[in-house]
Amino acid sequence: FMAPKAPAVRTSLNVASLENTRVLKVPVLDEVCETTGVTLKRYMNEVAMLNPELTELTVLFGAIDTACKAITNMVKRSQLPSSETLGYQGEVNIQGEDQKKLDVITNEVLKRALRFTGKMGVLASEEEDVPLDLVNTEKDAIFADTGKYVAVFDPLDGSSNVDAGIPTGTIIGIYDHDENCAMDDESCEGDECAQQELNCLSNTLQAGTNLVAAAYCLYSSSTFFVLTLGAGTYGFTLDENLGEFVLSHPNMKIPETSSIMSFNEANTHMWDEPLQKVVKGWRDGTGKSGQQFSSRYIGSMVGDVHRTLLYGGVFGYPGDTKNVNGKLRLLYEGAPMSFIMEQAGGISTTGTKRVMEIQPEYVHQRVPIIMGSKNDIEEVMEAYAAAE
Ligand SMILES: O=P(O)(O)OC[C@H]1O[C@](O)(COP(=O)(O)O)[C@@H](O)[C@@H]1O
């Protein structure tokens, strides 16, 4: 039996450089143990030991860890003839999308996992018409222990691709919950209750710069779990034998320049002029880097962003003459993925605005997104600025 080689040095790391970065002590694991590796649970535990104020967050990530493992099994089995998760639910969500059975089931899995931590105040999901206020409606008080957090999530991003075995993913963002929004339905009457409810539910409508944590889980050839707590971006891979996510990509850094673009190019002719110009330059190698770009597009945001983080590149779903705000949702797709991208050294913009700074007005609001390698995104932002 080979004793696991302990990481040489473990110190705490203050990363105050990046904008929106938290002064957080994170375990610096400059060597990944060969045998068991550093599991997600152990990593979060160490974060909590170094930052006691985050102890409740580790409970949350424990639940998310389990939910993603359950979902990856469901996705893998979903095409089996015996599977009950094949096809459509026969309902339409508030965005007019036909809900897949897996959309509904994965939504339930995540909702239950988060609720039973007792740490949730409000939940908002792509599959829920309105946010769920757990603090004021929770019958079982134990499940509204502190209600310290708000979770926004897309339970199965890219679900339209699942029947073809194409990668899909779960996206989640965590905010602090404003516990002062206690709904006192004893004393309030009529509109006042409605107003209080609105105040509580607006807890979900926070800008990305307020995010406490963000993560995605990619269901693909391997199952990956990538997270940020505001002090860098860390990637874990599911070790199916161990049944644990193991640290495989510590402190991910996206290459600053690349030659890969990832858009639904069928919409190019409807994009803003500046973006069309930059992409034309990338296509024929006359852009800022002089490199001729290649095109990669899965059509599942989590898959496209994961590849972009590792290889560099530009992923986007820009606005166009058909959908001025594009297709992706700000709250549970745009902001969490932008936080992860920025913490890996990338940039995420609408072309003219930093996605993380956009204040959501309603839960299912869409936002144009262009994110990826710093130098290439700056080329896009310069083109928009020049066109102003
Ligand atoms: O098919 P299109 O128009 O290229 O859109 C693909 C985009 O839509 C999405 O599938 C939207 O996500 P949902 O499946 O969660 O609705 C993204 O994952 C992806 O980037």
Side-chain angles (χ1 to χ4, degrees):
F1 166 72
M2 264 263 297
K5 229 170 86 212
V9 184
R10 190 172 308 135
T11 58
S12 59
L13 172 73
N14 290 358
V15 282
S17 59
L18 293 170
E19 215 185 304
N20 199 53
T21 292
R22 307 176 62 177
V23 176
L24 195 68
K25 295 192 182 82
V26 286
V28 175
L29 305 162
D30 38 26
E31 263 180 58
V32 175
C33 298
E34 280 93 13
T35 46
T36 58
V38 175
T39 63
L40 175 59
K41 286 196 183 72
R42 182 176 130 195
Y43 176 82
M44 288 306 294
N45 241 354
E46 295 204 20
V47 166
M49 285 195 280
L50 290 162
N51 312 273
E53 76 280 10
L54 293 183
T55 304
E56 293 187 81
L57 198 60
T58 55
V59 178
L60 222 51
F61 271 88
I64 298 167
D65 174 316
T66 309
C68 288
K69 287 172 191 164
I71 294 173
T72 196
N73 285 333
M74 284 177 189
V75 167
K76 282 200 178 86
R77 299 182 57 74
S78 64
Q79 304 312 307
L80 294 171
S82 58
S83 147
E84 275 133 35
T85 59
L86 263 181
Y88 287 89
Q89 181 73 10
E91 278 152 34
V92 173
N93 67 17
I94 192 166
Q95 297 143 79
E97 293 163 342
D98 291 320
Q99 284 183 314
K100 290 253 167 183
K101 284 189 184 156
L102 269 178
D103 282 325
V104 176
I105 296 168
T106 55
N107 188 48
E108 283 311 311
V109 167
L110 258 173
K111 263 190 347 187
R112 290 171 65 83
L114 290 166
R115 178 177 163 233
F116 293 144
T117 63
K119 309 298 176 198
M120 303 312 306
V122 178
L123 296 181
S125 159
E126 177 179 331
E127 304 307 333
E128 298 286 339
D129 296 359
V130 292
L132 307 171
D133 171 7
L134 295 182
V135 173
N136 297 303
T137 56
E138 186 56 70
K139 298 184 202 54
D140 310 340
I142 57 161
F143 296 136
D145 172 20
T146 63
K148 182 171 169 35
Y149 293 111
V150 170
V152 295
F153 55 91
D154 180 352
L156 198 61
D157 175 66
S159 59
S160 55
N161 296 314
V162 78
D163 296 356
I166 292 169
T168 53
T170 295
I171 306 172
I172 190 158
I174 306 289
Y175 293 95
D176 281 325
H177 180 248
D178 166 3
E179 52 269 333
N180 301 323
C181 80
M183 248 293 278
D184 176 1
D185 45 19
E186 306 303 321
S187 62
C188 72
E189 272 150 36
D191 293 355
E192 196 198 337
C193 298
Q195 187 49 48
Q196 275 189 359
E197 182 76 23
L198 213 56
N199 296 348
C200 275
L201 295 184
S202 65
N203 250 296
T204 54
L205 299 180
Q206 300 187 47
T209 43
N210 284 3
L211 278 163
V212 170
Y216 67 74
C217 193
L218 173 62
Y219 311 115
S220 182
S221 50
S222 295
T223 301
F224 299 96
F225 191 91
V226 174
L227 69 90
T228 185
L229 306 171
T233 292
Y234 287 73
F236 299 76
T237 304
L238 182 60
D239 178 334
E240 310 262 356
N241 298 348
L242 202 58
E244 292 291 349
F245 285 106
V246 173
L247 182 63
S248 51
H249 300 76
N251 217 5
M252 298 167 81
K253 289 295 172 218
I254 181 173
E256 296 211 340
T257 301
S258 78
S259 58
I260 301 171
M261 59 183 163
S262 180
F263 299 95
N264 182 338
E265 295 184 44
N267 302 331
T268 310
H269 61 293
M270 298 187 285
W271 292 347
D272 303 336
E273 212 37 53
L275 183 60
Q276 287 196 40
K277 227 168 93 228
V278 171
V279 167
K280 183 176 176 318
W282 288 343
R283 259 206 214 103
D284 54 27
T286 57
K288 212 165 141 191
S289 67
Q291 295 202 53
Q292 184 153 21
F293 278 47
S294 60
S295 181
R296 293 281 181 281
Y297 189 69
I298 298 169
S300 274
M301 181 185 194
V302 178
D304 283 315
V305 170
H306 188 71
R307 184 204 55 249
T308 301
L309 277 173
L310 294 177
Y311 299 167
V314 176
F315 163 75
Y317 209 107
D320 58 42
T321 48
K322 200 171 63 186
N323 303 306
V324 284
N325 286 319
K327 180 178 182 181
L328 303 173
R329 280 48 61 113
L330 172 61
L331 202 59
Y332 42 77
E333 290 172 322
M337 295 303 257
S338 298
F339 193 21
I340 291 167
M341 180 58 74
E342 286 192 0
Q343 287 297 317
I347 295 180
S348 178
T349 179
T350 62
T352 54
K353 280 200 216 93
R354 184 181 166 217
V355 173
M356 291 275 284
E357 285 170 10
I358 299 174
Q359 172 59 43
E361 282 149 33
Y362 51 96
V363 173
H364 302 289
Q365 171 178 342
R366 298 178 195 266
V367 64
I369 292 191
I370 307 161
M371 59 164 66
S373 296
K374 182 174 168 302
N375 298 336
D376 304 319
I377 303 295
E378 281 172 352
E379 187 176 354
V380 173
M381 291 155 71
E382 282 155 18
Y384 272 91
E388 267 169 9

